[in-house]
Amino acid sequence: MKIYHKKNFAAGIAAVIAGIVSLLQLVRDGFNLYNLVWCGMFSYLACTAFERSLSRELSREDLINERDERNRLLRMKSNSLTLDITMYTAAIAGFILDFLDRDANGPMSHIALGLFLVWLFAFFVKSTTRRYYDKHL
């Protein structure tokens, strides 16, 4: 048995670990549908990832798609747009929650502070990567 695509194999191992954790939580907390669905989803993802990493044809197809310049550009654009949407949503929701909370130590102001920290972290990541690529490209 040969592993043709190591990234998919690692994703399969991560899905197996997450499924085992979900199964242990299911055993610990008793049966509930929520943990059962998570366990089933992680099992399906693990099987799919292992199948794609151990098949020569499927691995070759995945590698070609990863190396395609158009797919890489689309992935970079979508990741950038996702980061922008996260930043703006966190900032707007933080301002709204901070405005709605009349008490300075209320629960909504703590959530707003957390959202502002998310915005700050995303801003730091975006500016750092922009400086890195401006320097190296």
Side-chain angles (χ1 to χ4, degrees):
M1 176 170 74
K2 181 173 166 101
I3 300 171
Y4 293 102
H5 197 285
K6 291 181 174 81
K7 284 183 187 176
N8 280 349
F9 193 77
I13 289 174
V16 165
I17 291 170
I20 290 172
V21 168
S22 179
L23 184 65
L24 291 175
Q25 190 174 12
L26 181 72
V27 170
R28 185 191 69 184
D29 295 342
F31 177 80
N32 60 5
L33 187 60
Y34 180 75
N35 285 339
L36 187 65
V37 168
W38 278 107
C39 187
M41 183 193 67
F42 285 130
S43 299
Y44 173 74
L45 289 174
C47 291
T48 304
F50 285 140
E51 176 190 12
R52 295 195 76 81
S53 68
L54 298 175
S55 169
R56 177 179 285 167
E57 293 83 21
L58 294 175
S59 295
R60 182 175 295 151
E61 185 179 308
D62 287 343
L63 288 171
I64 288 172
N65 283 335
E66 279 182 17
R67 293 177 182 152
D68 185 28
E69 288 182 20
R70 184 175 184 276
N71 290 343
R72 293 176 74 185
L73 179 64
L74 286 174
R75 189 175 337 122
M76 284 190 288
K77 282 185 175 183
S78 68
N79 288 345
S80 177
L81 184 62
T82 302
L83 183 63
D84 288 342
I85 290 171
T86 302
M87 283 177 63
Y88 293 130
T89 304
I92 291 169
F95 279 121
I96 290 172
L97 288 177
D98 197 32
F99 177 74
L100 291 176
D101 193 15
R102 301 285 182 225
D103 186 18
N105 287 330
M108 282 198 261
S109 65
H110 295 299
I111 295 171
L113 178 64
L115 288 170
F116 290 138
L117 289 175
V118 166
W119 179 84
L120 185 65
F121 177 73
F123 181 76
F124 175 73
V125 167
K126 189 172 184 174
S127 65
T128 303
T129 55
R130 182 169 290 157
R131 277 192 310 241
Y132 173 81
Y133 284 117
D134 282 344
K135 186 183 230 183
H136 287 87
L137 292 179

